Amino acid sequence: MAFTLKNVTQGQILLLVAISFVVLFGYFILSRREDKEWIDYQNGDGKYETIGNQLYIRDYRGYLYPKGYFNVTLNNTRNPFKDVNLEGQHSDTVLPECDDPDGVDPALTYQTVGWIEPPKYLSEYKNPCWYEVRKDGKEELQCIPYFYLIGMAKSGSTDLFSRIEQHPNVEVANKKEHRWFDDTRFANAKKGNFTYYFKQFHRSSMEIEKATNSSGYHYKICGDGSPSYSWDNIEWYHLPENQHCLEPRALILSYIHHLTPKAKLILILRNPVDRLYSHYLYHAKNTGARRDPEEFHLWVADTLDTYRECYKLHPFRFCMYSEEIKRNVKVTSLTSSIYSRLILDILKIFPRNQLFILEMKDYSANLKNRLKKVYEFLELEPLPESKLKEIVETGQRNAGRHYSTAGPMLKKTRKMLTDFLQPFNEELAQMLGDDKYLWLDE
């Protein structure tokens, strides 16, 4: 006998609705439980897959992650770099391709700002340069940066960039921070194309073309000093390579690597607690903050609460890049102080020998020697002592101006931030093999 609605009583309908509700509620609870517990799976019986020279683990949703990638707790963090090849994998993406239909809403409009075809660089130039045909049919040399000073903000990057540009073999760009990879190409249609970016180095290109040695080799270089390139990936969801992903596969540095895989990266770090306070004071005029230590304490408490609420339900990296918090200025300020995880992403893209890392206090205290090391990293010719002395004695650039009026951070605020950030500092110190990155004496 056929089953029809006529055979179903009102009580049976209510029973079916109740059963459906229980099943859906149970599924929701189990999903949330899995979201919270899958990280522990890595430390148990998780089966690892070898891709290239990297061990990956697959979560219950099918996503692949490097072993130990999200192994973080706020109070007891194990080293996530134990099984990671710190020499880098020379890849444009930090994780395998994502095509999961349950990821980010596919209805989002992905802009046409995907991979850019690298120009054919000239072998007789140290800097990445090529000839572009102008509208009048003549060829004109174009260049993009040989090096990128990628951070961190409020850590002495302006001072360092200025002293790099004082080397006679470095051409001064029209400005320090171009921010084309993270801001301009998304915000302005006319400036969002690659032509606009390389035209910013037109003057540098002309000087690079003029400078040759006895062998006809063009030895001069130029750079881009945008600290945001290391952390400001809030526009990741616009990129075609990241469609359907809960978190980005392609980052800002992915595009730089795609264009210039041999680019040199420089990263200057500061005690992350002090960096965050300096960042707060500097941006107060834009956020409406009062540059007040008590308000900063509330600012920190609210930021940590927001971050922890996200972390309760999601893996760590999701909370750095999620739709939920990507526009929260306070949280992005906090996550840009979690250096170890940012550097781990960098080393998924660039090999370790193309990343030079300094510590701000050490840089200031040993300025002459540290500059020598930076010049050596950039493969610049050694300077006479007189010229080096002249560069060292140049006044400090972009020193903090608000501490005298705002006053020092409250002790309770420092403790709260230190307790949160110290596990990541321990990761960083172990990763770089240097205890100065623990910042224990400050």
Side-chain angles (χ1 to χ4, degrees):
M1 184 175 66
F3 181 83
T4 65
L5 287 177
K6 293 180 180 180
N7 303 118
V8 181
T9 66
Q10 185 175 6
Q12 289 173 320
I13 293 175
L14 292 174
L15 180 61
L16 287 171
V17 170
I19 292 173
S20 300
F21 176 80
V22 169
V23 169
L24 289 173
F25 183 74
Y27 176 78
F28 174 80
I29 295 298
L30 287 174
S31 297
R32 286 304 183 185
R33 182 177 178 183
E34 286 177 319
D35 268 335
K36 293 173 67 176
E37 293 182 353
W38 81 269
I39 299 174
D40 296 333
Y41 171 70
Q42 297 188 66
N43 301 324
D45 299 323
K47 294 181 180 180
Y48 296 100
E49 303 175 31
T50 302
I51 301 177
N53 58 358
Q54 176 71 287
L55 285 176
Y56 287 86
I57 189 166
R58 193 180 297 274
D59 74 356
Y60 70 93
R61 295 166 297 189
Y63 289 104
L64 279 170
Y65 299 103
K67 181 181 179 182
Y69 203 65
F70 300 122
N71 183 20
V72 59
T73 59
L74 298 179
N75 298 312
N76 182 23
T77 306
R78 295 175 58 188
N79 177 26
F81 308 106
K82 181 179 178 182
D83 300 293
V84 174
N85 174 17
L86 296 183
E87 291 306 308
Q89 297 187 59
H90 311 271
S91 172
D92 288 339
T93 55
V94 295
L95 291 171
E97 183 179 352
C98 172
D99 58 358
D100 189 289
D102 296 323
V104 172
D105 184 359
L108 286 173
T109 301
Y110 288 83
Q111 300 180 9
T112 54
V113 286
W115 301 125
I116 301 163
E117 186 65 28
K120 294 182 179 179
Y121 302 118
L122 302 168
S123 60
E124 63 269 27
Y125 283 79
K126 178 179 180 179
N127 200 91
C129 299
W130 69 99
Y131 280 105
E132 190 88 3
V133 179
R134 303 189 318 195
K135 291 182 179 179
D136 60 7
K138 294 181 179 180
E139 288 188 330
E140 183 175 62
L141 188 75
Q142 306 294 347
C143 301
I144 56 175
Y146 169 85
F147 74 94
Y148 295 84
L149 204 171
I150 58 172
M152 293 298 296
K154 312 313 298 174
S155 300
S157 63
T158 300
D159 184 81
L160 175 58
F161 192 78
S162 171
R163 296 182 199 276
I164 292 173
E165 286 196 321
Q166 289 179 59
H167 192 289
N169 291 355
V170 180
E171 274 306 313
V172 178
N174 61 350
K175 59 182 178 180
K176 175 205 170 197
E177 297 184 30
H178 292 273
R179 296 201 62 180
W180 184 78
F181 286 95
D182 73 292
D183 183 51
T184 305
R185 68 190 183 127
F186 295 104
N188 189 311
K190 291 183 179 179
K191 298 179 180 180
N193 59 73
F194 182 50
T195 301
Y196 171 83
Y197 183 61
F198 67 66
K199 288 293 185 182
Q200 301 309 299
F201 301 93
H202 177 67
R203 184 177 64 184
S204 299
S205 301
M206 291 191 296
E207 296 302 318
I208 288 171
E209 186 175 30
K210 293 177 186 176
T212 59
N213 60 20
S214 57
S215 303
Y217 185 70
H218 300 259
Y219 55 85
K220 284 195 170 185
I221 62 172
C222 63
D224 183 343
S226 301
S228 53
Y229 289 169
S230 61
W231 61 270
D232 192 4
N233 287 285
I234 62 173
E235 302 288 354
W236 69 267
Y237 64 98
H238 280 308
L239 305 174
E241 296 76 24
N242 294 322
Q243 290 191 50
H244 309 305
C245 295
L246 289 173
E247 55 199 333
R249 266 57 177 161
L251 304 173
I252 289 168
L253 290 175
S254 299
Y255 289 85
I256 293 175
H257 180 271
H258 185 73
L259 277 172
T260 51
K262 295 182 180 179
K264 304 271 191 175
L265 309 179
I266 300 173
L267 188 62
I268 183 167
L269 305 177
R270 178 183 185 180
N271 181 326
V273 174
D274 294 325
R275 194 213 69 81
L276 193 60
Y277 188 42
S278 180
H279 195 262
Y280 160 83
L281 294 175
Y282 181 80
H283 288 283
K285 61 183 178 182
N286 299 323
T287 61
R290 297 197 308 268
R291 295 196 177 108
D292 174 74
E294 286 286 356
E295 182 176 280
F296 179 64
H297 182 80
L298 298 175
W299 187 95
V300 168
D302 179 63
T303 301
L304 290 177
D305 285 345
T306 302
Y307 172 81
R308 285 178 175 131
E309 283 302 310
C310 178
Y311 183 77
K312 285 178 183 178
L313 299 176
H314 304 291
F316 171 83
R317 193 168 178 272
F318 179 93
C319 295
M320 293 183 72
Y321 299 120
S322 74
E323 286 275 327
E324 300 169 30
I325 62 174
K326 70 178 184 292
R327 296 292 178 184
N328 188 317
V329 175
K330 295 189 291 187
V331 176
T332 54
S333 296
L334 173 69
T335 55
S336 62
S337 279
I338 302 176
Y339 305 144
S340 61
R341 298 311 169 98
L342 294 173
I343 291 174
L344 183 55
D345 267 352
I346 293 170
L347 294 178
K348 297 296 176 189
I349 303 168
F350 281 91
R352 179 68 180 88
N353 61 7
Q354 287 175 233
L355 174 65
F356 189 84
I357 301 174
L358 303 97
E359 196 278 327
M360 188 182 81
K361 184 175 284 188
D362 178 60
Y363 161 75
S364 300
N366 303 283
L367 187 53
K368 180 179 176 181
N369 290 333
R370 297 300 174 261
L371 279 178
K372 281 184 176 180
K373 291 293 185 183
V374 172
Y375 296 153
E376 182 181 328
F377 171 72
L378 295 175
E379 301 179 58
L380 300 170
E381 65 180 33
L383 294 179
E385 285 297 313
S386 57
K387 178 61 177 177
L388 189 59
K389 183 174 183 290
E390 177 187 325
I391 295 174
V392 167
E393 292 179 352
T394 304
Q396 184 180 357
R397 298 288 303 276
N398 199 29
R401 301 186 300 272
H402 304 295
Y403 292 100
S404 57
T405 53
M409 185 190 318
L410 299 178
K411 290 183 179 179
K412 62 181 180 179
T413 314
R414 179 173 292 279
K415 183 180 186 309
M416 182 164 52
L417 278 172
T418 299
D419 289 345
F420 174 78
L421 290 168
Q422 198 57 37
F424 301 107
N425 295 344
E426 291 170 4
E427 290 179 355
L428 183 66
Q430 186 168 358
M431 176 185 183
L432 301 180
D434 195 330
D435 284 349
K436 71 171 172 271
Y437 295 102
L438 293 172
W439 288 287
L440 295 176
D441 59 340
E442 300 179 35

